[in-house]
Amino acid sequence: MTIAVRVQTADFDAGAEMARLRAGNPAIGAVASFVGVARDRNDGSAVATLTLEHYPGMTERALQKICEDAAQRWDVIDILVLHRVGELRPLDQIVLVIVTSAHRGEAFACCEFVMDYLKTEAPFWKKEATPQGARWVGARDSDAAARERWSGDESPT
């Protein structure tokens, strides 16, 4: 079981990352992934840029912990989380989560769990530039509700 966490300003190639995880491992029977992308609108306003800030070291440790918690719940082979920081524009990729496992159910559930926790627990600060000025963005109630469905769930899938 391997966990890889990267926080970076540079864009990523999801296909290349997936190919790297799969390379030469015949035990992998399923790959689940999620790519989050910057939108041009949020809460009814146009968004010109999204700036993500973090504390180096602290952020990586928090992402690692989320992945470790997920790995304890599901029988997976790899978990990769790649999260961008800095100034992003609409259509830019923000986050990549890839999970490999022997079976699809484990991969899907683990990937969804990791994303639900990233949205609510990862220490990133998001600021949008809108025509009305800059504003800080917090987690949505729907993000918290998605995360809450995992609490108390002791059985994987």
Side-chain angles (χ1 to χ4, degrees):
M1 193 4 245
T2 60
I3 294 172
V5 169
R6 298 196 322 256
V7 177
Q8 63 191 46
T9 56
D11 198 8
F12 53 83
D13 180 336
E17 296 293 343
M18 191 177 297
R20 245 188 303 282
L21 287 180
R22 292 185 53 221
N25 190 343
I28 294 173
V31 179
S33 65
F34 174 85
V35 176
V37 180
R39 295 184 309 270
D40 66 346
R41 297 194 70 72
N42 189 27
D43 290 334
S45 295
V47 176
T49 61
L50 171 65
T51 302
L52 286 107
E53 298 179 3
H54 78 299
Y55 286 116
M58 181 179 98
T59 301
E60 290 84 352
R61 283 189 300 277
L63 299 180
Q64 180 77 25
K65 174 77 167 89
I66 291 168
C67 293
E68 289 170 358
D69 290 349
Q72 289 180 3
R73 289 174 172 246
W74 293 281
D75 184 17
V76 298
I77 298 168
D78 300 293
I79 303 173
L80 168 68
V81 173
L82 196 159
H83 207 297
R84 294 181 67 196
V85 293
E87 186 176 277
L88 302 170
R89 300 194 176 286
L91 300 176
D92 285 349
Q93 299 180 115
I94 303 170
V95 62
L96 171 66
V97 176
I98 301 175
V99 177
T100 67
S101 66
H103 305 285
R104 72 179 184 276
E106 302 283 315
F108 278 133
C110 184
C111 187
E112 192 170 15
F113 173 93
V114 169
M115 253 333 288
D116 286 347
Y117 272 76
L118 284 177
K119 290 291 288 182
T120 56
E121 302 298 320
F124 291 102
W125 293 269
K126 302 173 186 178
K127 184 169 54 173
E128 294 176 335
T130 72
Q132 296 79 28
R135 65 181 180 198
W136 292 98
V137 180
R140 298 174 179 278
D141 290 341
S142 59
D143 295 331
R147 188 203 65 228
E148 280 305 307
R149 69 193 167 107
W150 299 108
S151 64
D153 177 16
E154 300 303 321
S155 62
T157 60

